[in-house]
Amino acid sequence: MEGLEVIDLWVEVEGKMILKGVNLALPRGEIHVLMGPNGAGKSTLAMTIAGHPKYKVVRGKILLDGEDITNDPPEERARKGLAVLFQMPPELEGVTVAELLNKIKERSGCKEDVYDLLRESNLPSEMAYRYVNKGFSGGERKRFELSRILAMKPKIVIMDEPDSGVDIESLKVIAEGVKRLQRERAGVLVITHYRNILKYIVPNKVHIMIDGKIVKSGGVELIEIVEKKGFKEVVAA
Amino acid sequence: MKSPSQIIKYYAEEIARKLKEPEWALRKRIRAAEIYEKAPTPPWMPEDFDLEAFASKAAEEEPLKPGEGEIPEWYKTILERIGVPEIEQSMLAGVTVMVNENVVYEAQKKELKRKGVILESLDEAVRRHENIVKEYLHRAQVPEVHKLAALHIALRRGGTFVYVPKGVRVPFPVQAFFVITEEQLAQTEHTLIIADENSYLHFIEGCIVPIPAPYSMHLGGSEFYSLKGARLRISSLENWIGKVIHVPVKGAEVHEGARLEELSVVMGGIRVGMRPRIRLIGKGAKLSFNSVAFLRNEMKSWSGSTVVHEAPKTNSSIVNRTVMKDSSSDEFLGEIIVKKGAKGVIGHQACNTLLLNDGAINTTIPKLVSEVSDADLAHEGTVGKIGEDQVFYLRSMGFAEHEAIQMLTLGFIDPLIQDLPADYVRAIREIVKMTLNAA
């Protein structure tokens, strides 16, 4: 399949099993939403797909365009077309936005210039000379994440809570970014436990994760049920 | 058997004779030679120091100028990568002045001359400008500090002299950009820079194109004077190739309402010892002193500075960033002293060390001494490695681990070097990259 496939994924973090057999298929060109209560394992799934060394895959595999990337180092996954929007991206003191974007572009072959990439996220051009994430507001961080992901020209994007701690303006910008990625035939998985961003994007599918497993998948109607009755009811329904 | 002072005196006289120095200059040398024996030994003094061998080498007829073949191949690569032609371009754009070799850009030279700025070799200035040099030479850099400070004064030779007259502002940075000049290869060269009242100067000295030094110990010295109301900026970049012991002696004075802004970048060598002594002697004097060091292999370093607040409302800010690799070691001693009567002083220092691997050892020792009650003194020190979160963040964008470490290491020093001209920033970055990549 062209896209991301997660097959029976079991993941341990510091000796504790967090993911207990996750199955997920995200074709390119589709937007999926992953919802679930705190501690369900959503961020663990994002970090495991990204290849964080702290997350140990005990069983199962991750495929990108049909290729097994379960044991690839993170940089290899990125080069094959995977991008992850960080929930809390760290500060990179001394590394300017322009320098980082240029280096990413060099690798991905992205032709847009730094200012255009920033403009895509509604960030001012002066941002180019600031250090990455240093002194950025919550919204600026998320918007910069979007810019650098656009520069990566990814095939699959995992967004770990792109809508947490941001203002309405940033939310709209990120939603536009998701749509653009979809137009460019990327598959986007939006992890969230708020409804806010779902006012601006229309997902092809919604997945509900509880206690390390995807317990239900369906259409946008699931969001409504979650909103009204909570996660437990969705499972029962 | 001759005493150490007698040995030094013998060679000091020989140097003074060769340079045809006036009597007053010789007397400074003789006095330093006498102080040598009583002065304390600095911790960075080589254990097997051979005084006679060092002194005779310092007094040798002409320092050896290494031939083309002695410039290592990998260094030429740096040159190409940083683009020497671009440096030539900057010279044409009127920012580069070379001292001691006849390549000072003519228009700039005229401009400096018209404004009364003196820019020449110190040896020449000692003979020609007694009225200025005599008063300042070895006033901020004194022989009593330690044996090497005394030895430097006794055997001083070569170096640069810059004098900016009262009220003169030099609109372009003056760069003593030594490619391969004999003067700068001298073992005991001295840089004397005086910014007279209400003047402004940015002086940059860089050894971007270094070669293995033709000696084993470099005992250079420098003195910077920012007189009443002046602003003096000094940026220096040194990269020592080979097994050089680099132990320069430095001193500075900042007068009433004046500023001194210094940046020092030191790389290379096997043993580095330097703790500049900077005196804030006039009311409202301000100092900003930033230093960057990169240590590797078995390098041993003694770094830090002594800042003495001798007048009220003086302000100092010291920022030191050191990157350490392999089994290098560094002892940073940051000393701030506030003298009696110096009310309303602010003195802050920050020392941040980045350890790239286990085995490198850093010791940071803050020493804050105040003789008055209202001084605001602070020390901030951090020692740590590169953050795993940052490395993973970059790897998730497609950068290999070593690329991530390189970007973050360059980032660590970037805040201190970003105001330098682009050529220098590029050179520093290239040297750091090469050092990181070297096994």
Side-chain angles (χ1 to χ4, degrees):
Chain A
M1 185 190 96
E2 268 210 327
L4 179 78
E5 287 167 275
V6 175
I7 300 163
D8 190 29
L9 194 66
W10 293 69
V11 173
E12 201 182 82
V13 185
E14 284 156 1
K16 200 174 165 223
M17 198 67 79
I18 306 290
L19 299 188
K20 301 162 185 170
V22 174
N23 286 290
L24 183 80
L26 171 64
R28 290 181 54 188
E30 288 194 7
I31 299 171
H32 288 198
V33 167
L34 178 66
M35 301 182 85
N38 274 331
K42 303 187 300 295
S43 289
T44 297
L45 179 64
M47 286 295 111
T48 306
I49 294 171
H52 195 294
K54 215 176 81 185
Y55 300 78
K56 278 219 318 255
V57 174
V58 181
R59 217 166 93 190
K61 51 189 172 182
I62 304 163
L63 307 182
L64 183 60
D65 283 355
E67 189 185 346
D68 189 346
I69 59 163
T70 320
N71 297 312
D72 282 357
E75 58 270 31
E76 207 49 57
R77 299 171 192 220
R79 290 170 195 175
K80 285 176 181 165
L82 176 79
V84 178
L85 182 143
F86 279 52
Q87 191 182 132
M88 278 178 290
E91 292 178 359
L92 302 180
E93 200 198 6
V95 180
T96 63
V97 163
E99 183 190 344
L100 185 62
L101 290 179
N102 281 323
K103 283 207 159 104
I104 293 172
K105 281 169 53 191
E106 222 173 276
R107 174 160 285 130
S108 70
C110 168
K111 296 276 180 282
E112 265 169 290
D113 78 20
V114 167
Y115 301 128
D116 288 338
L117 286 165
L118 291 174
R119 207 169 301 125
E120 277 296 305
S121 303
N122 207 9
L123 290 168
S125 22
E126 304 89 80
M127 200 76 154
Y129 306 102
R130 286 176 63 186
Y131 293 148
V132 173
N133 295 327
K134 183 106 183 160
F136 288 16
S137 71
E140 283 171 333
R141 277 186 197 221
K142 297 284 161 79
R143 280 185 277 156
F144 172 69
E145 284 293 273
L146 176 64
S147 288
R148 62 100 179 150
I149 284 171
L150 290 174
M152 288 170 74
K153 292 167 77 77
K155 295 175 182 165
I156 290 293
V157 182
I158 313 292
M159 296 190 167
D160 191 7
E161 299 198 12
D163 50 353
S164 67
V166 304
D167 50 291
I168 292 285
E169 181 55 36
S170 297
L171 204 60
K172 286 183 186 164
V173 166
I174 290 159
E176 282 308 312
V178 172
K179 287 185 213 163
R180 176 180 153 177
L181 285 163
Q182 184 184 30
R183 282 197 302 277
E184 292 172 0
R185 275 202 78 252
V188 185
L189 180 69
V190 179
I191 299 176
T192 180
H193 56 221
Y194 307 95
R195 250 197 91 159
N196 299 347
I197 196 165
L198 303 173
K199 287 179 197 152
Y200 307 101
I201 52 173
V202 185
N204 300 81
K205 241 181 191 175
V206 176
H207 308 276
I208 309 293
M209 184 183 240
I210 293 177
D211 192 26
K213 265 183 283 203
I214 290 181
V215 293
K216 197 153 185 101
S217 297
V220 280
E221 72 282 355
L222 282 183
I223 299 169
E224 202 87 345
I225 304 176
V226 167
E227 191 72 3
K228 284 191 185 133
K229 304 183 176 167
F231 288 110
K232 290 234 167 76
E233 291 300 317
V234 179
V235 186
Chain B
M1 183 74 180
K2 281 199 265 184
S3 73
S5 289
Q6 282 169 322
I7 293 171
I8 300 167
K9 257 188 229 177
Y10 173 82
Y11 291 104
E13 279 168 359
E14 191 183 320
I15 292 171
R17 197 163 50 241
K18 277 180 187 160
L19 299 178
K20 301 188 176 62
E21 267 187 3
E23 183 61 25
W24 64 264
L26 175 62
R27 276 202 304 275
K28 285 185 197 263
R29 294 180 187 274
I30 299 301
R31 187 174 162 266
E34 280 160 1
I35 288 169
Y36 179 86
E37 284 178 32
K38 287 170 279 177
T41 305
W44 51 88
M45 184 106 167
E47 290 82 8
D48 57 352
F49 182 60
D50 182 340
L51 177 64
E52 175 119 39
F54 178 83
S56 66
K57 182 96 182 150
E60 248 173 40
E61 198 56 51
E62 280 304 329
L64 261 180
K65 185 171 175 171
E68 175 73 12
E70 288 175 68
I71 301 172
E73 209 47 50
W74 64 270
Y75 222 93
K76 288 186 194 160
T77 315
I78 285 198
L79 277 191
E80 274 163 31
R81 274 167 59 182
I82 62 173
V84 173
E86 288 180 44
I87 290 164
E88 282 164 5
Q89 279 168 22
S90 73
M91 211 187 290
L92 293 171
V95 290
T96 304
V97 171
M98 279 194 214
V99 196
N100 307 333
E101 281 212 339
N102 244 352
V103 286
V104 178
Y105 186 53
E106 279 307 312
Q108 210 179 56
K109 207 161 136 192
K110 262 185 219 145
E111 169 85 357
L112 290 171
K113 202 171 174 185
R114 202 176 54 79
K115 288 177 179 274
V117 176
I118 303 169
L119 176 65
E120 59 192 29
S121 83
L122 182 62
D123 292 341
E124 208 176 321
V126 167
R127 292 188 296 266
R128 290 177 47 182
H129 302 287
E130 175 179 341
N131 58 328
I132 310 168
V133 178
K134 188 178 170 184
E135 186 185 343
Y136 293 99
L137 187 62
H138 307 308
R139 187 171 95 183
Q141 186 267 308
V142 294
E144 289 83 0
V145 179
H146 54 63
K147 282 192 166 37
L148 293 174
L151 190 62
H152 167 78
I153 293 171
L155 303 177
R156 170 190 50 78
R157 183 177 180 181
T160 308
F161 175 66
V162 184
Y163 171 77
V164 185
K166 283 180 189 169
V168 169
R169 301 180 62 81
V170 180
F172 42 81
V174 173
Q175 303 188 30
F177 185 86
F178 32 105
V179 179
I180 307 173
T181 74
E182 289 166 8
E183 292 283 354
Q184 300 296 355
L185 277 177
Q187 210 165 357
T188 51
E189 100 287 352
H190 193 85
T191 305
L192 176 60
I193 298 178
I194 302 162
D196 211 333
E197 295 180 9
N198 300 311
S199 65
Y200 170 74
L201 172 71
H202 183 191
F203 182 80
I204 305 178
E205 58 178 350
C207 211
I208 278 191
V209 193
I211 42 152
Y215 44 76
S216 60
M217 185 166 107
H218 174 249
L219 179 55
S222 67
E223 289 176 279
F224 308 132
Y225 295 88
S226 189
L227 302 187
K228 195 174 168 184
R231 181 174 169 213
L232 178 58
R233 272 187 78 187
I234 305 280
S235 309
S236 70
L237 162 61
E238 289 170 281
N239 183 36
W240 294 89
I241 302 296
K243 298 190 176 221
V244 179
I245 295 167
H246 179 52
V247 285
V249 285
K250 301 179 169 202
E253 280 179 15
V254 191
H255 290 234
E256 190 179 328
R259 283 157 77 180
L260 175 64
E261 295 157 38
E262 206 183 328
L263 166 66
S264 150
V265 180
V266 177
M267 292 179 278
I270 51 165
R271 192 181 179 100
V272 176
M274 78 173 113
R275 290 198 178 123
R277 188 179 173 86
I278 301 157
R279 297 172 58 202
L280 302 171
I281 63 176
K283 190 178 172 186
K286 271 199 174 122
L287 166 72
S288 145
F289 181 64
N290 293 343
S291 55
V292 173
F294 199 113
L295 311 180
R296 58 184 285 229
N297 296 339
E298 279 84 48
M299 261 181 91
K300 277 187 171 10
S301 158
W302 289 262
S303 58
S305 53
T306 299
V307 177
V308 191
H309 291 263
E310 300 177 26
K313 304 253 183 236
T314 48
N315 192 316
S316 67
S317 156
I318 313 286
V319 181
N320 171 281
R321 293 210 164 177
T322 304
V323 180
M324 300 179 67
K325 193 178 175 243
D326 308 322
S327 50
S328 56
S329 69
D330 178 43
E331 186 184 296
F332 177 91
L333 174 65
E335 201 174 14
I336 306 177
I337 299 166
V338 182
K339 293 286 191 189
K340 213 179 253 170
K343 296 253 181 225
V345 162
I346 298 173
H348 289 177
Q349 61 181 6
C351 178
N352 311 113
T353 303
L354 182 62
L355 301 175
L356 293 180
N357 51 258
D358 286 339
I361 301 170
N362 167 270
T363 312
T364 300
I365 310 165
K367 187 173 168 191
L368 311 177
V369 186
S370 182
E371 294 176 7
V372 296
S373 61
D374 73 343
D376 171 3
L377 303 184
H379 171 89
E380 178 234 324
T382 61
V383 180
K385 56 176 188 163
I386 285 184
E388 284 172 20
D389 288 351
Q390 280 115 328
V391 172
F392 176 67
Y393 183 47
L394 287 168
R395 289 180 74 190
S396 82
M397 299 177 207
F399 300 103
E401 191 171 6
H402 74 270
E403 290 174 294
I405 288 172
Q406 185 179 78
M407 284 165 80
L408 294 166
T409 304
L410 290 169
F412 176 74
I413 60 172
D414 191 79
L416 300 193
I417 64 171
Q418 58 179 350
D419 290 338
L420 281 175
D423 289 338
Y424 284 82
V425 174
R426 203 176 306 128
I428 293 168
R429 293 173 68 97
E430 287 303 326
I431 294 166
V432 170
K433 278 188 207 167
M434 288 222 143
T435 310
L436 280 175
N437 293 340

